[in-house]
Amino acid sequence: DTTKKILLAAGSAVAVGALAYLLLKRDAKEEQAGARDLLEAAPSQSVDKITKEQVQQILQEIIKSQEQMKGYMKELTKELLSKSLTFEQTYQRVKEVQPADPLEKHGLSMVSFDQLLDKHQGDPAVRESIAKIMGAPSPNSCCSEKVQAITVKTIIDVHNFMLDKLDALVQDFLALPNKNTYDMKTVTIAAQAIVGSKIEDSFGITSEDIESAVLMYHTMLATNQEFAAINIKIQQTMGKLMGTSFAMS
């Protein structure tokens, strides 16, 4: 179904913000289940006071922010392919252009926003916006010859490669003595940019190409145990980076 396709696209871990969103959403559900008393005390805007129209507006702001970052990520990937940038240099590049967080702007925690999405998930406009945020590529990109040439084996090979590079990057970051001074959302985007450039350099395909291929093969991948296992490991690795836990639900 549509939800499964969206989650598969997010599970590919290459859409800007999609994996972070998925991890935070999962973490939000854990918080909801185990820390309701803390949530009530959190300085977050009341969910009951936010209208469906406001939710749609926030989603549009997230989409706009994401599109801005996608454009910049393409430029950053080109730079990473042409010159050797350190993690710190890549982090600073992202930090300079990263848009303000729409949720922070509206005084919402990820947990509260997750509640709002659950509340209004039946609204077609909300569902369409969530699909865009979770990285569902445009129909045109799915039909390109380059994407059509990508096989399921290539998708799995790319994800194994992605896991290897992410794991090395996370280990290096966690070893930094000043790691607590970094903004973790910026770190996550920088990590995606670095790994995305390595994928393009090694396989000759972009993150967006892989996203589209994952969506194209969603039926086969939904039952592919190797693909599922790799994605769990990728999400666990990113969870270490973001300081969140990952558990199968």
Side-chain angles (χ1 to χ4, degrees), residues 8-19 70 73 135 158-159 162 192-193 195-196 199 206-212 214 231 234:
L8 274 169
S12 70
V14 290
V16 178
L19 178 62
K70 278 187 178 181
M73 287 284 273
V158 167
H159 279 71
M162 186 189 304
Q192 290 180 16
V195 174
I199 290 170
T206 67
S207 296
E208 191 174 24
D209 293 334
I210 290 296
E211 252 185 274
S212 300
V214 167
N231 270 289
I234 288 172

Side-chain angles (χ1 to χ4, degrees), residues 83-94:
K83 62 178 75 169
S84 179
L85 296 180
T86 64
F87 177 82
E88 176 64 29
Q89 289 172 323
T90 307
Y91 174 86
Q92 291 300 330
R93 295 279 203 285
V94 174

